[in-house]
Amino acid sequence: MSIKPTANNRDFPDILAGGLLIFLGALGLWAGRDLTYGSPAMMGPGFLPKSLCTVIALIGAVVLIKALSKPHEALDAINPKPLIIIVVAIAGFAFAAERFGFVAATIWLLVVGSLADPESRWREILISTAVLTTLGALLFVYGLGVQMPIWPF
């Protein structure tokens, strides 16, 4: 026997997530409304942002539609600690990237950001930090030529 969705038994976390994704996609499309789209063969400056924002909005629509047919799941109490940790990790990366180099900034981002998950284990954090820092440096600094010092010295 299936439960028919009503106003009282909808999946509110997914409804909020779908609505947020649709809003962010629409906001991005609105912000880039003056950019020329172009074509896949001759991409304009708005090709990538508009394409990504459209995909984000479509994913949000799928999440929202599925949420309207799922059983009720209540919203948990909001815990600001993980959000604050992630913001500090990103802000620290932005601050450290120019002053201390890509490697130090990435290590800061990954180690501090991992503290947002109470189930993270130090061994996994250290391994993933070493792998992601190495791959990031090779891809962004050496491969794509991002103008950022790799080391603080």
Side-chain angles (χ1 to χ4, degrees), residues 3-136:
I3 299 173
K4 208 111 164 94
T6 66
N8 293 331
N9 68 359
R10 296 243 167 89
D11 186 6
F12 289 114
D14 281 355
I15 290 173
L16 289 174
L20 179 65
L21 287 172
I22 292 170
F23 172 76
L24 290 174
L27 180 65
L29 288 171
W30 178 80
R33 68 189 179 280
D34 295 332
L35 298 173
T36 306
Y37 188 75
S39 68
M42 199 67 152
M43 293 181 200
F47 187 86
L48 183 63
K50 287 181 179 180
S51 298
L52 288 176
C53 289
T54 301
V55 169
I56 288 170
L58 289 173
I59 290 171
V62 170
V63 169
L64 182 63
I65 290 167
K66 287 184 80 172
L68 294 174
S69 64
K70 286 173 63 178
H72 174 69
E73 184 176 318
L75 289 174
D76 293 335
I78 296 175
N79 181 5
K81 182 182 174 187
L83 179 62
I84 293 168
I85 291 171
I86 295 297
V87 168
V88 167
I90 293 170
F93 176 85
F95 174 79
E98 284 295 319
R99 291 164 186 80
F100 302 111
F102 181 83
V103 172
T106 305
I107 290 171
W108 167 269
L109 175 69
L110 296 171
V111 171
V112 173
S114 68
L115 298 176
D117 181 15
E119 296 177 8
S120 59
R121 294 180 284 232
W122 282 105
R123 182 175 182 205
E124 294 171 356
I125 293 169
L126 295 176
I127 292 170
S128 64
T129 299
V131 170
L132 291 171
T133 302
T134 303
L135 292 176

